[in-house]
Amino acid sequence: MNEATPRLVAAKALSLLDLTDLSDDCDAAAIETLCRQANTPFGPTAAICIWPRFVALARELLGAGSAIRIATVVNFPSGDLPVDAVIAETRQAIADGADEIDLVIPYKALIAGNEDAVRQMIRAVREACPPPVTLKTILETGELKDRDLIRNASHLAISSGTDFIKTSTGKVAVNATLEAADIMLNAIRESGRNVGFKPAGGVRTVGEAALYLNLAATIHGPDWAMPSTFRFGASGLLGDIVAVLEGRESGTQSAAY
């Protein structure tokens, strides 16, 4: 992506975007708006990412044959729920029409040295996600902080059967960073497994998206990033993507996620 024009980067980012509304005041009207925004004049986003309680509504709005996938979050945002509760949450979301499950690992337990808690959670939710449901695991790298801990969390998630590793919930002080992305993308390469990567929270402009795409291309090759291997989790990025594709000025959008 190093020599790609802003328009090419914007088009690529659009195809990789999980358009997100995980705001605390999200309501049915906001989901209707999100579903409408996800169908842009330049093509659809890869997915929308929403609270579990809105999955059935989104499925109704998008329709069964929609190219836009529905992602939802479980054990979110704390990572502290019991395994049984997370499994129940996951199964209900899939029954309601979710295509993708974004699971927060018990990262506080991992910080305390309990790797088994992470393995057990991911394996249990993996079992509750039959194909073709995609499982993404949220490491909450801004709370893990330590490079070795982020790398260890990445390898734990990969070896436990996840389809993607994702940086963040977007609900803590530090979310996606290029440093965390570098560690996670290299962990995927080290594993030799076909696992995707999702930076989430804080990617707001096409220029910022290009930095992550360039990093992925450097580590995995120029053709690696596609919807099955790379997603952006963001709410504000779409506005900047559309601005660039329409030939307007970039870098004016801001959002919490």
Side-chain angles (χ1 to χ4, degrees):
M1 299 296 295
N2 283 310
E3 297 179 4
T5 67
R7 285 179 65 87
L8 286 174
V9 175
K12 180 82 167 179
L14 176 63
S15 73
L16 304 175
L17 179 61
D18 287 2
L19 183 62
T20 301
D21 190 340
L22 294 170
S23 56
D24 294 336
D25 60 354
C26 184
D27 58 14
I31 296 301
E32 291 179 19
T33 298
L34 195 76
C35 290
R36 187 170 60 252
Q37 290 174 334
N39 274 301
T40 83
F42 304 97
T45 65
I48 57 170
C49 187
I50 56 177
W51 292 106
R53 63 184 179 272
F54 296 119
V55 168
L57 172 61
R59 175 53 65 207
E60 180 183 348
L61 291 168
L62 290 174
S66 175
I68 300 167
R69 294 170 66 84
I70 298 173
T72 194
V73 291
V74 298
N75 204 23
F76 187 94
S78 70
D80 291 337
L81 292 178
V83 172
D84 288 350
V86 181
I87 291 171
E89 194 176 31
T90 300
R91 288 177 174 160
Q92 184 62 57
I94 294 169
D96 286 345
D99 301 298
E100 304 181 357
I101 300 295
D102 287 26
L103 162 72
V104 182
I105 67 166
Y107 62 88
K108 295 168 195 168
L110 180 60
I111 292 169
N114 187 354
E115 294 183 356
D116 284 342
V118 178
R119 291 190 189 95
Q120 290 168 10
M121 178 67 76
I122 297 172
R123 288 172 180 170
V125 176
R126 170 78 280 172
E127 190 172 339
C129 293
V133 176
T134 298
L135 174 61
K136 310 190 199 88
T137 53
I138 304 172
L139 307 185
E140 202 67 294
T141 54
E143 295 296 289
L144 296 180
K145 299 176 182 176
D146 180 76
R147 290 183 61 89
D148 289 340
L149 198 54
I150 294 170
R151 182 177 179 274
N152 188 31
S154 300
H155 281 291
L156 284 171
I158 293 167
S159 65
S160 298
T162 194
D163 297 308
F164 271 75
I165 49 176
K166 174 178 171 181
T167 59
S168 320
T169 60
K171 297 290 188 180
V172 296
V174 177
N175 293 292
T177 66
L178 287 167
E179 181 182 19
D182 181 67
I183 297 165
M184 294 167 70
L185 286 163
N186 273 295
I188 293 169
R189 182 182 55 78
E190 291 160 3
S191 76
R193 300 194 180 195
N194 186 27
V195 173
F197 169 68
K198 179 177 173 180
V203 183
R204 300 186 179 97
T205 68
V206 170
E208 290 168 348
L211 296 176
Y212 286 92
L213 290 171
N214 287 340
L215 181 62
T218 299
I219 295 169
H220 289 282
D223 300 322
W224 182 77
M226 58 185 71
S228 61
T229 58
F230 194 107
R231 300 287 182 85
F232 289 108
S235 59
L237 179 57
L238 181 62
D240 202 56
I241 287 171
V242 172
V244 170
L245 292 174
E246 289 180 344
R248 295 186 283 115
E249 185 176 354
S250 172
T252 59
Q253 299 294 321
S254 63
Y257 190 91

